[in-house]
Amino acid sequence: MTEVTAAPTSAALTPHQIWVRVRGLLLALLVLVAAGIALATVRSGDQHGRLDPRSADRYGSRAVAELLKERGVSIHVVTTLDDATARLGPDTTLLVASPNLLVPRQQRELRAATDSSAGRTVLLAAGPPSVRTLVPGVTAEPAGPVAPRAPECSLPAARSAGDVETGGFRYASYGLDTVGCFPSGGLPTLLLVERGGGDTVLLGSPDLLHNSSLVNQGNASLAVQLLGSRPHLVWYLPSLTDSSAAAEDGDTGGNGTPDDRSFADLIPPGWLWGTLQLALAAVLAAIWRARRLGPLVTERLPVAVRASESTEGRARLYRKANARDRAADSLRSATRARIAPLIGISLRDAHSPSILVPAVSARLSSTDDSVQTLLFGPAPSDDAALVQLADQLDTLESEVRTS
């Protein structure tokens, strides 16, 4: 007898199978890296010198600074609170580029310094926490995207400028002498607050001071009139490295007033868009890896399992679960399916006692009760009874085949 040796099988994937499985992921990763490099390259200089009067970048403010210099306005760029407050005076305009970067202690010191001067203070895109400290009696809320808006006020600078691109924040005042212009939803995005001999201007968005936006609408006219009303302009660019930002008494600031900024106020705006992008990427990844509905696809099994091994494995599972009823049903069902064609009964009627039992009894000249018990009886009570049932079914099938 020639011994047949089965070809060895392996569950290891071939290089081609590995490539087919990972090529989609690698392509998506390559596109993501390329997009990140392209975005970083395109925007590498966009944020350099933001609102800096010395910067000619897109978001710089050199253009408006040159216009002011042509009109005889001297510009002093400072990055610390001490330098900013030291230059205040009745003939000076103080521009605070990012008031929201100031800690509460700095905001209180800045308010005290501006209140005692008769000059003008311009606050760009001051949010709710900084407005409550810098301009008491005024509240701020989001005004939506920047868009051209009509003045709709009596302020000469606004009326002569005409439509201006504003937005960002809008302001409401209570019990103050104010003039509101360029409304959004009924509230002004530019608010001028009179205080003693000077005034404070709240501008909801700094976009009109950017080099790229200065030529749009009446942006240049409004910017020059707001910042050029005094012969001197102090351009304050708050810095996180300013030593005055370090509070001496923890979170309470210099006079014990607690910092009422919420956690959301401390999160930079860019993180919101980053979170939304990550959420979108997660949804796309879930859709990509989700189960797809469609026809079944046959695949080559990694190993070949012999029928005897499969039967033995199932039997062990039945024994471990004490499922003698399931095992007996499986044995009886298989026997009925094999003997039914031998006695001229269709497979559809092989599991009907009223049809199969009389036919088998007539073929073997035995009683219906014994055949009924053997083919459709109760489950065995123990393992020995299950083995005996298997032997009896095997004997019954042999008798039917030889009869």
Side-chain angles (χ1 to χ4, degrees):
M1 176 181 296
T2 302
E3 183 178 359
V4 179
T5 303
T9 59
S10 175
L13 297 176
T14 64
H16 177 71
Q17 291 174 323
I18 296 176
W19 166 248
V20 170
R21 292 192 178 189
V22 303
R23 61 184 178 183
L25 180 60
L26 291 178
L27 179 60
L29 182 62
L30 179 62
V31 171
L32 182 62
V33 172
I37 294 175
L39 184 61
T41 302
V42 172
R43 301 191 59 186
S44 59
D46 283 355
Q47 303 300 324
H48 174 69
R50 189 180 185 91
L51 289 175
D52 193 326
R54 300 161 297 186
S55 173
D57 292 342
R58 178 181 180 184
Y59 294 107
S61 300
R62 183 174 178 178
V64 67
E66 293 298 326
L67 292 178
L68 291 170
K69 290 178 181 179
E70 291 178 0
R71 286 160 175 77
V73 178
S74 63
I75 300 177
H76 303 277
V77 181
V78 297
T79 57
T80 65
L81 180 62
D82 293 339
D83 290 342
T85 55
R87 295 179 177 272
L88 294 180
D91 58 348
T92 302
T93 297
L94 172 63
L95 171 66
V96 184
S98 302
N100 297 327
L101 290 180
L102 301 176
V103 299
R105 177 188 179 185
Q106 290 178 303
Q107 293 173 358
R108 288 188 293 270
E109 291 182 1
L110 179 62
R111 186 189 72 189
T114 54
D115 286 346
S116 61
S117 71
R120 166 171 289 183
T121 302
V122 180
L123 305 176
L124 300 182
S130 56
V131 166
R132 286 195 295 267
T133 304
L134 293 172
V135 193
V138 177
T139 60
E141 61 182 61
V146 175
R149 292 183 169 86
E152 301 185 21
C153 66
S154 59
L155 186 66
R159 295 180 63 86
S160 62
D163 292 353
V164 171
E165 293 180 343
T166 61
F169 290 100
R170 55 184 183 174
Y171 305 98
S173 61
Y174 304 94
L176 300 177
D177 186 8
T178 63
V179 178
C181 304
F182 308 103
S184 172
L187 293 178
T189 57
L190 185 152
L191 185 68
L192 185 144
V193 182
E194 297 288 347
R195 49 172 180 77
D199 55 39
T200 298
V201 178
L202 292 167
L203 190 58
S205 171
D207 288 20
L208 64 88
L209 299 182
H210 293 158
N211 294 327
S212 60
S213 305
L214 192 64
V215 298
N216 299 337
Q217 305 293 328
N219 293 354
S221 175
L222 181 64
V224 170
Q225 293 183 78
L226 290 180
L227 303 181
S229 62
R230 270 78 171 173
H232 304 291
L233 172 62
V234 177
W235 200 297
Y236 178 27
L237 299 172
S239 172
L240 296 177
T241 60
D242 188 353
S243 59
S244 64
E248 295 179 356
D249 49 353
D251 294 338
T252 61
N255 60 0
T257 304
D259 186 355
D260 57 356
R261 290 185 295 178
S262 65
F263 178 74
D265 296 330
L266 299 176
I267 300 177
W271 282 100
L272 174 60
W273 294 107
T275 304
L276 293 178
Q277 292 176 8
L278 289 176
L280 178 60
V283 172
L284 294 177
I287 295 175
W288 171 53
R289 298 299 298 173
R291 184 181 298 276
R292 294 171 174 81
L293 301 179
L296 296 177
V297 178
T298 59
E299 295 184 1
R300 183 172 61 87
L301 295 177
V303 294
V305 181
R306 296 180 180 180
S308 59
E309 295 178 0
S310 177
T311 301
E312 184 178 355
R314 182 174 295 181
R316 288 177 177 175
L317 290 176
Y318 282 150
R319 181 176 183 180
K320 185 176 181 180
N322 290 326
R324 285 184 290 272
D325 53 344
R326 298 290 300 274
D329 289 343
S330 179
L331 292 172
R332 283 166 169 160
S333 176
T335 300
R336 293 195 298 264
R338 288 193 295 267
I339 66 176
L342 300 177
I343 55 180
I345 295 177
S346 64
L347 292 177
R348 184 182 60 184
D349 298 329
H351 306 291
S352 175
S354 60
I355 298 177
L356 182 64
V357 171
V360 174
S361 299
R363 183 72 171 265
L364 301 179
S365 300
S366 59
T367 61
D368 291 349
D369 293 341
S370 61
V371 176
Q372 174 82 21
T373 302
L374 186 58
L375 294 177
F376 297 96
S381 58
D382 52 28
D383 291 345
L386 179 62
V387 173
Q388 183 180 4
L389 174 64
D391 293 338
Q392 291 174 348
L393 290 173
D394 187 56
T395 301
L396 176 65
E397 182 177 350
S398 299
E399 292 178 355
V400 171
R401 289 182 180 275
T402 57
S403 61

